[in-house]
């Protein structure tokens, strides 16, 4: 089992190792692309959102009634000859299973795949008692031979090549093995069948524990789980208390999503239900000795938490890793501890301690891909931010984060420093849009992109000159600028104003507004995040606006979805915050849906224009068609491969993990280059900063703009 990183510097070394593993990169790249396409296809035949809502409702009910369901399961299972145990801790669970083995004179144990067994580190505990323990899932057996932990909850050995596996099998069998995959599978089959036959006890996991009849289930693509649960005379199923579910019907509903989400299958090869101790010729009285061990390990306490209890909606499909751009680069051993992916960052905190989670929880780019596919509808990005906030509150977030938070809390000081920066940067910009002459020592790992220059004049300073005068306006709106567009890219906001003025929209710009606070959330600085949220809500409270428009998708998603949550305990501003959030709308949606701009409003330039869908626009706000249709109205829209995959900016993430940000940017630029487009447009200034900086650094001849600039340029007079 790998160790959780103790410091960010140690973690960066581990990440560098993973990024240098070419096989890992190719394998996870191939899988990520094919998984996304296959998942989309297999979900077309069902009501995905409806099913996810049903699963969430059933799992939430089970969480609230965990004790009653446990008692019901115990009663029903014991009627059918099953022994039911409950372990408060991992240590106690291991002791119970070891005791069962001793009482039944067990010498050899075979196991099927179980993340709960991994959670409690069952194998070492049983081996310490003198038992021989063999994993029988092919991937689990391979990593057991290597003395590793799983790198994925569903595909534990996805990080290994057939050459590595052939070497491992050669060592295990004492015979030179061929690298042909089918031959390797046959070797495993021969080796494992001997273990099945010799075993005294089988240990399985449990996908669902059905309270109404005391049944447990396994959902697999290999026959090993059935061998484990039927051949040995003793069977022990281990399950977290969160696996309890009221009825078989609810479990079957979950099965409509679980395999689709895990492996893009309609159903796995084997779905097994075990309801009671069945016949077994090798057991005394020809009846299986069956035990079910339920693990608490903090679950009953988590179930009481009104926010974090939703983690028990997880069905262990692994989809949050399948779509995670960070996992795609570094793999599960660097994107988790025992549980991996987005859910792993959370479960590590609760099941294995804050010390193991404090560094890992920072490695989330915040792209929301995980929440978009979660089978239980868990708000994973929000929960990860909350973990960061708790860790920061208890242990501190470092001097740099604390200093930045103190500056951003004071709007006037923050803006004054940004204005001062435009003078301080002059030796480094050479009068260009970029910091061209920064000494390499200041760049370090950030040299993969050109850094932008602060604008000579901020948007707020330009506003008195450009504010439009609308006569009998069609509607009244306010602009939320965000930091980047106010001080770095004011031309983007000016383009927006031009379009709004042309359509007789009255526009206001409240001067008391400041940063949206998302960077603070990403750093775990919750208290300061709340302070700036209050400032912004109050800045816009004085005006009667039909809409609050922002040209930053990240700001829009944060203002709209996060403000009402982080201000929920602030009664003085909560009502205003909800009104504020309801009025927030992104630029593309406003001009497409509210203003109704169509092709006839533009002079189509004919330029080849491709598009990058900013994460918080396409997933955070669910806006997909509006920007693409607007591009096609004003130019020739050229689709790009993986348009909705993160560009790697993530605000402060690109500062903290530049090595990962650089790789994500490189992948994105490669796809853009292949479109042969003249322009790339996006709906977020952070993405402009990342992609324009990358294009400048690599010499990619493409003009990177905000979509507002493209539309303003081609708007008919």
């Amino acid at each position: 089992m790998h160790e959780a990183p103790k410091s960010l510097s140690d973690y960066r070394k581990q990440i560098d190792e993973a990024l240098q593993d070419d096989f890992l990169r190719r394998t996870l790249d191939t899988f990520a692309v094919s998984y996304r396409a296959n998942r989309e296809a297999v979900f077309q035949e069902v009501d995905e959102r409806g099913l996810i809502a049903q699963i969430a409702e059933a799992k939430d009910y089970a969480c609230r009634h965990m004790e009653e369901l446990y008692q019901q399961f115990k009663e029903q299972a014991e009627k059918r000859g099953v022994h039911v145990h409950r372990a408060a801790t991992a240590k106690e669970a291991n002791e119970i299973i070891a005791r069962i083995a001793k009482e039944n004179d067990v010498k050899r144990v075979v196991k099927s795949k179980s993340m709960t067994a991994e959670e409690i580190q069952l194998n070492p505990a049983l081996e310490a008692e003198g038992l021989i323990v063999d994993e029988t899932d092919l991937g689990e057996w391979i990593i057991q031979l290597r003395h590793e932990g799983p790198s994925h909850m569903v595909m534990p050995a996805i990080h290994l090549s057939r050459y590595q596996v052939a070497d491992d099998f050669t060592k295990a069998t004492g015979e030179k093995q061929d690298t042909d995959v089918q031959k390797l599978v046959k070797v495993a089959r021969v080796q494992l069948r001997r273990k099945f036959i010799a075993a005294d006890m089988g240990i399985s996991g449990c996908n669902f524990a059905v309270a109404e009849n005391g049944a447990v289930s396994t959902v697999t693509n290999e026959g090993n789980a059935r061998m484990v649960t039927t051949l040995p005379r003793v069977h022990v199923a281990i399950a977290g208390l969160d696996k309890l579910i009221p009825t078989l019907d609810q479990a079957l509903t979950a099965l409509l999503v679980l395999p689709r989400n895990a492996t893009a299958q309609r159903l796995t090869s084997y779905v097994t239900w075990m309801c009671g101790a069945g016949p077994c010729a090798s057991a005394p009285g020809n009846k299986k000795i069956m035990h079910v061990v339920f693990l608490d390990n903090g679950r009953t306490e988590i179930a009481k938490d009104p926010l974090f209890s939703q983690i028990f909606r997880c069905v262990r499909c692994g989809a949050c890793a399948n779509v995670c751009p960070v996992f795609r680069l570094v793999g599960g051993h660097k994107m988790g501890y025992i549980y991996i992916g987005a859910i792993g960052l959370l479960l590590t905190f609760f099941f294995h301690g804050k010390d193991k989670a404090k560094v890992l929880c920072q490695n989330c780019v915040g792209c929301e891909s995980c929440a978009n596919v979660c089978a239980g509808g868990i708000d994973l990005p929000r929960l990860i931010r909350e973990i960061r906030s708790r860790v920061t509150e208890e242990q501190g977030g470092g001097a740099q984060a604390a200093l930045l938070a103190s500056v951003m809390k004071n709007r006037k000081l923050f803006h004054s420093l940004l204005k001062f920066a435009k003078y301080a940067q002059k030796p480094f910009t050479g009068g260009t849009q970029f910091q061209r002459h920064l000494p390499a020592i200041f760049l370090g790992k950030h040299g993969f992109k050109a850094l932008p220059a602060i604008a000579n004049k901020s948007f707020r300073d330009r506003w008195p000159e450009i504010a439009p005068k609308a006569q009998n306006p069609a509607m009244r709106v306010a602009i939320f600028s965000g930091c980047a567009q106010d001080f770095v890219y004011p031309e983007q906001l000016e383009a927006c104003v031009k379009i709004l003025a042309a359509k007789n929209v009255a526009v206001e710009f409240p001067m008391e507004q400041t940063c949206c606070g998302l960077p603070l959330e990403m750093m775990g600085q919750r208290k300061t995040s709340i302070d700036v949220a209050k400032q912004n809500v109050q800045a816009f409270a004085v005006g009667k606006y039909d809409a609050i428009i922002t040209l930053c998708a990240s700001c829009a998603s944060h203002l709209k979805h996060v403000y009402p949550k982080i201000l929920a305990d602030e009664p003085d501003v909560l009502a205003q915050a909800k009104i504020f959030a309801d009025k927030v709308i992104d630029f593309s949606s406003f001009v497409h849906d509210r203003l109704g701009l169509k092709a006839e409003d533009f002079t189509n330039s004919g330029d080849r224009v491709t598009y990058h869908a900013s994460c918080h626009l396409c997933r955070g706000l669910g806006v997909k068609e509006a920007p693409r249709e607007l591009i096609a109205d004003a130019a020739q829209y050229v689709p790009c491969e993986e348009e909705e995959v993160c560009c790697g900016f993530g605000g402060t993430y690109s500062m903290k993990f530049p090595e990962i940000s650089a790789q994500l940017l490189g992948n994105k630029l490669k796809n853009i280059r292949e479109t042969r487009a003249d322009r790339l447009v996006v709906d977020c200034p952070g993405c402009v900063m990342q992609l324009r900086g990358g294009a400048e650094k690599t010499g990619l001849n493409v003009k990177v703009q905000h979509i507002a600039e493209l539309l303003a340029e081609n708007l008919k007079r």
Side-chain angles (χ1 to χ4, degrees), residues 155-187:
M155 296 159 284
I158 192 174
H159 60 294
L160 298 174
S161 72
R162 57 194 173 103
Y163 302 101
Q164 291 169 294
V165 174
D167 289 342
D168 294 329
F169 282 11
T170 296
K171 293 173 186 175
T173 62
E175 298 177 8
K176 179 66 176 174
Q177 300 297 338
D178 196 292
T179 58
D180 178 77
V181 173
Q182 294 304 318
K183 291 180 180 178
L184 290 172
V185 170
K186 289 179 181 178
V187 170

Side-chain angles (χ1 to χ4, degrees), residues 63 76 82 89 160 175 237 386 392 404 569 579 594 655:
C63 181
Q76 293 299 320
V82 178
T89 64
L160 298 174
E175 298 177 8
E386 184 66 30
T392 300
L404 182 59
D569 296 325
I579 294 171
R594 299 272 187 95
M655 298 166 58

Side-chain angles (χ1 to χ4, degrees), residues 14 46 66 68 89 190 252 311 360 365 379 489 704:
Q14 294 181 20
V46 296
M66 191 177 282
E68 301 100 295
T89 64
V190 169
L252 293 175
I311 65 176
L360 292 173
V365 72
D379 192 350
Y489 303 124
V704 182

